Amino acid sequence: MSVAKNELNPLGRKIFLDRYALKDVQKETLKVGDVVVAVSNPKTGQREIGMVSELNDGDAITVKLDEGTILHVKREDVDKPLETDPAQMLARVAKGIASQEKPEVRKQWEKEFNWLLEDWKFVPGGRILTGAGTDQNLTYFNCYVIPSPKDSRGGIIASLGQMTEIMSRGGGSRYEHIIPQATAQLRQGRKRPLQWLGKLGRALQLRNRPD
């Protein structure tokens, strides 16, 4: 029995469409019959795969999920993947990576990279699958470990700037360790370090925010 190339199970398909497939960010091409990723639970942010069944007045959209549930959502709660087959994503990635080679050998390397990626013989990091071959200013690195902030308000603000730049380009970040002086003050029951460390935590909510 033959197996389709780049086959995915239902969960793998959802992850591909939600996280890695190139999207029509402005949804200018959105139409009835399109495969979309829709927010099925606004409280938890859970997202499911479905198909647009109606484009209603204003921003209202009706989506029929793969498992049959009908959703009535706003346009902002829907993403439209431009890539609905993994082969499209893999071809984009192969071309994007090959673009770093000399012009006269790019086509050959694109073919070689595409062969390597097909059927998941080699799976790059998620940031590469998302960003390679696009015009988006995204990092190819999944995670960064940045130095802990200098033990001052200015040091914390400077580190927040680093985190914001990394996360706005799709990367994740963490610190090497907590600020030593803040740790000592926390042990003494002082609240001010908690306030500043809380700012660091809230900065995580800025991830993927556009410039």
Side-chain angles (χ1 to χ4, degrees), residues 9-209:
N9 61 29
L11 177 59
R13 178 172 177 266
K14 180 194 290 190
I15 293 171
F16 154 62
L17 292 171
D18 187 19
R19 302 200 63 182
Y20 304 127
L22 188 65
K23 307 294 193 301
D24 176 2
V25 178
Q26 302 302 324
K27 300 161 198 169
E28 296 173 345
T29 63
L30 188 65
K31 63 185 185 300
V32 171
D34 281 342
V35 173
V36 294
V37 184
V39 175
S40 60
N41 188 329
K43 291 184 178 179
T44 64
Q46 181 175 338
R47 294 153 65 83
E48 299 292 345
I49 309 303
M51 183 176 292
V52 176
S53 56
E54 290 183 63
L55 293 175
N56 305 304
D57 294 336
D59 287 338
I61 296 175
T62 303
V63 176
K64 183 177 181 180
L65 299 184
D66 286 354
E67 41 82 6
T69 300
I70 302 297
L71 292 181
H72 300 284
V73 296
K74 295 180 180 179
R75 198 178 189 88
E76 66 186 33
D77 293 327
V78 165
D79 281 333
K80 176 186 172 177
L82 293 173
E83 299 165 340
T84 56
D85 187 312
Q88 296 170 299
M89 173 189 69
L90 300 179
R92 163 177 57 80
V93 171
K95 186 173 183 178
I97 299 301
S99 69
Q100 304 303 309
E101 304 293 337
K102 294 179 179 179
E104 61 269 23
V105 296
R106 283 177 188 168
K107 284 294 183 182
Q108 179 60 33
W109 277 111
E110 180 181 342
K111 182 179 178 180
E112 296 286 346
F113 288 142
N114 209 13
W115 175 85
L116 183 64
L117 295 170
E118 273 191 341
D119 284 333
W120 317 113
K121 290 188 286 290
F122 173 74
V123 181
R127 296 302 85 202
I128 295 174
L129 293 177
T130 300
T134 74
D135 59 1
Q136 302 174 47
N137 188 19
L138 298 176
T139 176
Y140 283 8
F141 297 93
N142 276 22
C143 301
Y144 294 77
V145 178
I146 60 179
S148 294
K150 291 184 178 180
D151 215 343
S152 66
R153 290 188 294 273
I156 291 174
I157 296 300
S159 291
L160 288 176
Q162 287 181 308
M163 288 174 60
T164 302
E165 289 302 313
I166 291 170
M167 291 181 170
S168 70
R169 288 162 177 76
S173 63
R174 55 155 293 183
Y175 292 113
E176 290 179 324
H177 49 71
I178 199 168
I179 307 169
Q181 185 175 325
T183 305
Q185 292 186 10
L186 286 173
R187 288 171 179 165
Q188 295 171 15
R190 299 183 185 180
K191 295 181 179 180
R192 184 58 59 89
L194 278 176
Q195 295 172 358
W196 280 98
L197 292 174
K199 295 182 189 299
L200 292 179
R202 287 193 293 275
L204 295 174
Q205 299 172 11
L206 295 175
R207 69 178 309 154
N208 298 327
R209 182 173 178 173

